[in-house]
Amino acid sequence: MIPAQFEYARPASVDEVLTLLRDKEGEAKVLSGGYSLLPLMKLRLAQPGLLVDLRDVRGLDTILETDDDLRIGARATHRQVHEHSIVADRYPFIAEVAGGIGDPQVRNWGTIGGSVAHADPASDWPAAMLADGTRIVCRGLGGERVVPAREFFLGPFSTAIEPTELLVEVRFTRRARSVGGAYTKLERRAGDFATVGAATVLALTDGRIASAGIGITGVNDTPFAATEAEAALVGKAPSEEAFRAAGEAAAGMAHPVSDVRGSAVYKRAMVAEMTVRSLRRAADRALRFA
Ligand SMILES: Cc1cc2nc3c(=O)[nH]c(=O)nc-3n(C[C@H](O)[C@H](O)[C@H](O)COP(=O)(O)OP(=O)(O)OC[C@H]3O[C@@H](n4cnc5c(N)ncnc54)[C@H](O)[C@@H]3O)c2cc1C
């Protein structure tokens, strides 16, 4: 349980971080909350030669709303996101995701950027970002890239971030009040990773579903967008029948394996059920303002 030897740096600016990542390409890893990386280092599943601690880098935990999006800095903790007044007031679905991650200790230390960069197949943020169409901002010494969530999660613990880049911000879509979102998480015990998590975002126009976003976590080797379920909803009235059909379509895209969290058959059924429950709540929220 003791990590291999490593060097440690505590830069004060993003440029200094990026210079270190370039100079030690492939050897350096950034440390954000440490709630995923440090356990891996103790188990020697990760052995970075240099740990670049982000704690002194200013301005990486800002949360602000622009005309187009809600911008959350990579170093914002799950708790900061959950408790932020704009998030609580206008983005209940994002508050729901943040408030359901781990336990208070995990939420106090774990960060949104660390979670997204780590890309655990059962993590909560990716499902929400796939449903929302969130954009993820990666910065290198040469400039910034804005990567859509649907192009970002490449596989288990694998993302589109280059080793010389820092994830600096995520941008959730700023939406009209007639768009509702919800996140429904099935966990064995409070504080556990998701057995299945379903994030949904529904936009209603004239009583019909104009667009739908659905992200599922916990069952495939990486969180995925349930595109077949989304397509099944567009143009329909938000009804139980439509939600059930979408749930079945999402389950059809799930390829779970049996493990301590349940059998493959059970998990697939839960994908359908969590999708339906999430859609009901998303529709309720959208209908309140439609
Ligand atoms: C007991 C426990 C329960 C948990 N429960 C849940 C849960 O229910 N749901 C859930 O989603 N997660 C859960 N987590 C994970 C938790 O959310 C972590 O905080 C998160 O996965 C990693 O965030 P971090 O800030 O701690 O990142 P770190 O551990 O510091 O880093 C993780 C990885 O991301 C890289 N990284 C970090 N920041 C950046 C950046 N800005 N740019 C580029 N790369 C970066 C690091 O180099 C490292 O490879 C749990 C963790 C624990 C220990």
Side-chain angles (χ1 to χ4, degrees):
M1 294 298 278
I2 297 174
Q5 209 170 8
F6 57 89
E7 288 178 57
Y8 176 78
R10 209 158 138 172
S13 71
V14 169
D15 278 349
E16 282 177 57
V17 173
L18 295 175
T19 304
L20 286 165
L21 293 181
R22 182 201 56 196
D23 292 348
K24 296 275 184 178
E25 185 172 347
E27 285 174 54
K29 272 208 163 286
V30 296
L31 176 70
S32 192
Y35 259 57
S36 294
L37 182 55
L38 295 181
L40 286 180
M41 287 173 63
K42 287 184 175 178
L43 293 168
R44 304 218 174 184
L45 294 171
Q47 300 196 17
L50 170 66
L51 213 49
V52 182
D53 193 339
L54 298 181
R55 75 176 64 195
D56 290 342
V57 181
R58 296 219 172 158
L60 274 184
D61 63 354
T62 307
I63 300 178
L64 63 92
E65 202 179 27
T66 71
D67 287 345
D68 302 319
D69 40 42
L70 172 72
R71 300 185 173 189
I72 304 181
R75 277 275 293 154
T77 61
H78 308 311
R79 179 181 170 189
Q80 281 173 297
V81 178
H82 183 229
E83 293 182 352
H84 197 276
S85 57
I86 296 175
V87 178
D89 182 41
R90 289 189 33 84
Y91 300 84
F93 127 79
I94 293 172
E96 217 158 67
V97 176
I101 293 176
D103 54 29
Q105 202 177 344
V106 173
R107 294 195 289 275
N108 276 339
W109 280 92
T111 64
I112 192 166
S115 200
V116 173
H118 189 58
D120 187 300
S123 58
D124 297 298
W125 282 120
M129 293 181 186
L130 291 165
D132 170 75
T134 304
R135 289 145 319 276
I136 294 154
V137 185
C138 304
R139 192 180 298 168
L141 281 174
E144 262 180 19
R145 291 188 304 135
V146 181
V147 185
R150 292 186 182 209
E151 295 168 23
F152 185 82
F153 300 103
L154 303 179
F157 308 103
S158 169
T159 73
I161 308 175
E162 297 291 339
T164 52
E165 286 179 326
L166 185 67
L167 193 163
V168 288
E169 185 176 85
V170 294
R171 296 178 183 168
F172 287 93
T173 315
R174 182 173 177 163
R175 300 189 179 273
R177 293 267 186 184
S178 57
V179 179
Y183 184 58
T184 306
K185 176 175 178 176
L186 175 69
E187 52 195 350
R188 286 180 307 169
R189 292 181 301 259
D192 205 358
F193 273 93
T195 301
V196 174
T200 61
V201 175
L202 286 182
L204 302 183
T205 308
D206 300 329
R208 304 243 154 217
I209 297 167
S211 71
I214 301 179
I216 305 288
T217 193
V219 280
N220 287 4
D221 62 3
T222 190
F224 67 98
T227 49
E228 290 168 24
E230 294 168 351
L233 286 166
V234 174
K236 303 258 169 57
S239 64
E240 189 64 17
E241 188 190 354
F243 296 163
R244 284 274 158 213
E248 289 308 319
M253 293 182 71
H255 307 290
V257 292
S258 301
D259 60 16
V260 289
R261 291 197 170 93
S263 70
V265 171
Y266 168 74
K267 289 185 193 176
R268 196 172 292 109
M270 288 305 101
V271 170
E273 186 58 32
M274 294 305 121
T275 302
V276 172
R277 291 184 191 185
S278 185
L279 284 167
R280 278 186 204 135
R281 289 174 43 245
D284 278 349
R285 284 178 174 156
L287 281 165
R288 233 175 284 161
F289 298 98

